[in-house]
Amino acid sequence: MNYSTVKEFMILGLTQKSELQGILFIIFLFIYLVAFVGNMLIVIAIIYNTALHTPMYILLLALAVVDIICTTSIIPKMLETMLTSEKLISYGGCMTQLFFFTWSLGAEMVLFTAMAYDRYVAICFPLRYSTIMNHCTCVALLSIVMGIAVTNSWVHTGLILRLTFCGPNIIDHFFCEIPPLLALSCSPVRVNEVMVYVADITLAVGDFTLTCISYGFIIAAILRIRTTEGKKKAFSTCSSHLIVVSLYYSPVIYTYIRPASSYTFERDKVVAALYTLVTPTLNPIVYSFRNKEMQAGIRKVFAFAKG
């Protein structure tokens, strides 16, 4: 049972310098529009084109939906606090933001692993791909993603709801994330820290390891390709995927593997921006817009819209 006296929190944002607020507002509005429009284009293109109703593109569709939820749960409120002097978010609003962000965090990590497995099967077992990655396998993978994401989110949000917040109510961050909330609690947070650590090891480190193993097998298969052009193309795709995946996992592991007492607000806000804002914006570019089938699907959407 929660007996918090705090009914609302003040979010300080990335900076308190008033001269930077206007510039940051424009930058993050642009980032949000790019992320939202880019991911929405992927969703529409895959739903609209039956040729893209394959496991690879269904997983991309799921990733785009997760990225839309992630950015929409954070950036609009962030932009609002930049325009107002109060910078307030209600206790319920903060917990809602925490739930959806934590859900998208868990879903994205497991999705990266599922997508790496899909590419591993496609490149290492091309003749058996349609048999292994069939409709049932795809549904099973998405069910696992959803199950893990919801469980992860309910556990962490539920544990935060048990905490007491007596004040101060100032969150030195740009959204309601677990570490700054634990730093504000006036009740013991040891259980929360242990569960965050367990989730970081199993989800972040575990999924990152599995993703890297998949790409290791993929790179080994690429090295057996005889044509130089084929190797270059495959390496280009793999390297860009690994860069985006590393950009996501590294700051997540860094942020959540430490106790709340070691949280350094100014530095860690910048680190958090990598996995909450940068990666969801890069995903459509790296995973979809460079793909010829995806480009054709998007052109069909625009052609349909014009017609």
Side-chain angles (χ1 to χ4, degrees), residues 249-267:
Y249 281 112
S250 302
V252 169
I253 293 167
Y254 166 79
T255 298
Y256 288 97
I257 208 161
R258 297 166 302 146
S261 56
S262 67
Y263 196 80
T264 50
F265 297 105
E266 288 305 316
R267 183 182 63 212

Side-chain angles (χ1 to χ4, degrees), residues 11 72 78 81 91-92 98 112-113 115 119 134 163 174 200 208 221 236 248 252 282 288:
I11 300 178
T72 303
M78 179 185 178
T81 57
Y91 178 85
L98 176 70
F112 276 140
T113 307
M115 290 165 67
R119 292 300 81 207
N134 53 37
L163 299 178
F174 57 89
D200 199 36
F208 186 47
S236 173
Y248 191 79
V252 169
L282 288 177
S288 300

Side-chain angles (χ1 to χ4, degrees), residues 10 13 71 76 81 85 103 115 126 142-143 157 168 174 178 185 197 199 204 208 210 220 224 246 271 281 298:
M10 179 183 288
T71 51
T81 57
S85 56
W103 175 87
M115 290 165 67
L142 288 176
S143 299
T157 308
F174 57 89
I178 294 172
S185 174
Y197 184 82
F208 186 47
L210 290 172
R224 293 195 290 270
S246 299
V271 172
T281 309
I298 291 168

